[in-house]
Amino acid sequence: MGLLRKSVFCAATAFSALLCGSAQAWWEDGHQRVCDLAMAQVQSATRAALANLLGEPLGKQCSWADEIKGKRPDTKSWHYLNAPPDTRRISAVPRPKGGDIISALIEQTSLMKHGSTHQRREAVLWVGHLVGDLHQPLHLGYASDLGGNTYRLQLPEGLGKQLQEKRDTVSMHAIWDGLILRYENDGGQAPSLETIEAPSLEDPEAAILAWADETLTVLNDPNVHYRHGTRLQALDSHYLTSNRPAVDQQIYRAAKRLAALLDWAFSTKS
């Protein structure tokens, strides 16, 4: 499952406006948001090259990788990698033959810089999407619960109304895909986050692996209650609010790192 499907997009024109109070969900429009926020940070040469290559804004095509799953089922496994419990380093996880998010992102990043025109265009769409997916912790979740999709929490009726959810239970994957941000759609200000440094891309593959390790750290945080022995039976407002800063920070990181990858691939500057 990809990130960001139902949110109302909160446009931003600068990195200082990365997170605004009206954002609802880390689903389809949120994928657009990560891409748009990245495009607001890239160098002018990168922006011009992408405009010429894509023909329309990257943000509007940032969910293309989800939309093609039906026609290209071989790519479904490219959106995640199931890490066993207590994994700390993604390099220790065997890569499945059918593909996974790490292998796909590394390959598409290389094609984005070195491929033919057609390959570069498609690779941009893959990279834009997969960088977002990589920063959603449940995309590195356990195989036993399908990345949190079968780990379900009871949803109290009152909280369900606030979240616009009619189901009695919700999956942990959906909570992190969008419900944490949807709960915060109350006009309040986003939490104050530490500055996200621009990544070094001397070795893009090493950088991608490091980002995945960082996402694993988020996944293993006791406050997330994903690890066995810490799991919850019911969702409450405290869980949603206490994990909001982590979700916000992952969105910041995704946008900043996507911008760096695009500059690495397209900018004429050294």
Side-chain angles (χ1 to χ4, degrees):
M1 181 183 294
L3 306 170
L4 319 169
R5 285 187 188 153
K6 300 177 183 175
S7 67
V8 176
F9 174 64
C10 180
T13 56
F15 187 61
S16 61
L18 276 177
L19 289 170
C20 48
S22 64
Q24 284 188 26
W26 201 357
W27 279 326
E28 182 179 290
D29 284 347
H31 263 305
Q32 176 177 342
R33 189 160 173 250
V34 169
C35 286
D36 283 340
L37 292 170
M39 288 299 295
Q41 302 168 66
V42 296
Q43 298 171 5
S44 57
T46 302
R47 191 174 297 110
L50 287 169
N52 182 61
L53 181 69
L54 299 178
E56 63 178 333
L58 174 59
K60 291 185 177 181
Q61 304 175 72
C62 220
S63 291
W64 169 85
D66 277 337
E67 296 165 0
I68 65 166
K69 288 178 181 177
K71 295 181 179 180
R72 293 170 60 176
D74 58 301
T75 67
K76 290 182 179 179
S77 63
W78 294 13
H79 298 257
Y80 63 90
L81 176 60
N82 293 130
D86 300 318
T87 299
R88 293 293 188 272
R89 297 185 66 84
I90 204 68
S91 59
V93 180
R95 307 281 179 81
K97 292 182 179 180
D100 63 274
I101 190 171
I102 304 299
S103 300
L105 185 52
I106 290 171
E107 179 182 16
Q108 295 300 320
T109 295
S110 178
L111 286 173
M112 184 172 67
K113 185 175 182 69
H114 303 294
S116 65
T117 299
H118 172 75
Q119 288 175 324
R120 297 186 85 192
R121 182 187 182 281
E122 185 168 298
V124 169
L125 304 184
W126 274 113
V127 172
H129 185 89
L130 294 179
V131 168
D133 277 354
L134 185 64
H135 286 78
Q136 205 278 55
L138 276 299
H139 282 255
L140 300 180
Y142 311 152
S144 60
D145 60 22
L146 306 180
N149 277 293
T150 62
Y151 169 14
R152 302 193 68 83
L153 288 75
Q154 293 293 322
L155 181 62
E157 182 178 356
L159 186 57
K161 289 181 179 179
Q162 288 180 272
L163 295 172
Q164 304 171 41
E165 284 288 344
K166 297 181 179 180
R167 293 170 291 181
D168 295 331
T169 65
V170 290
S171 73
M172 182 60 79
H173 195 109
I175 290 167
W176 279 80
D177 256 356
L179 296 182
I180 290 174
L181 283 171
R182 182 181 293 179
Y183 183 74
E184 287 295 318
N185 186 28
D186 58 3
Q189 293 184 350
S192 176
L193 302 176
E194 64 184 8
T195 301
I196 307 300
E197 296 182 359
S200 170
L201 288 178
E202 294 180 4
D203 184 346
E205 180 173 346
I208 289 167
L209 292 172
W211 303 342
D213 289 346
E214 195 175 58
T215 297
L216 284 171
T217 299
V218 177
L219 184 69
N220 287 312
D221 189 315
N223 196 48
V224 175
H225 292 281
Y226 185 64
R227 298 173 66 185
H228 294 299
T230 71
R231 295 198 164 191
L232 303 174
Q233 298 297 315
L235 182 63
D236 58 25
S237 60
H238 174 72
Y239 185 89
L240 297 170
T241 56
S242 64
N243 284 291
R244 174 62 186 266
V247 171
D248 286 345
Q249 185 159 329
Q250 289 300 96
I251 292 175
Y252 275 97
R253 287 169 170 166
K256 192 77 172 180
R257 291 161 179 176
L258 175 56
L261 286 173
L262 293 172
D263 278 337
W264 172 82
F266 288 97
S267 178
T268 57
K269 297 182 179 180
S270 60

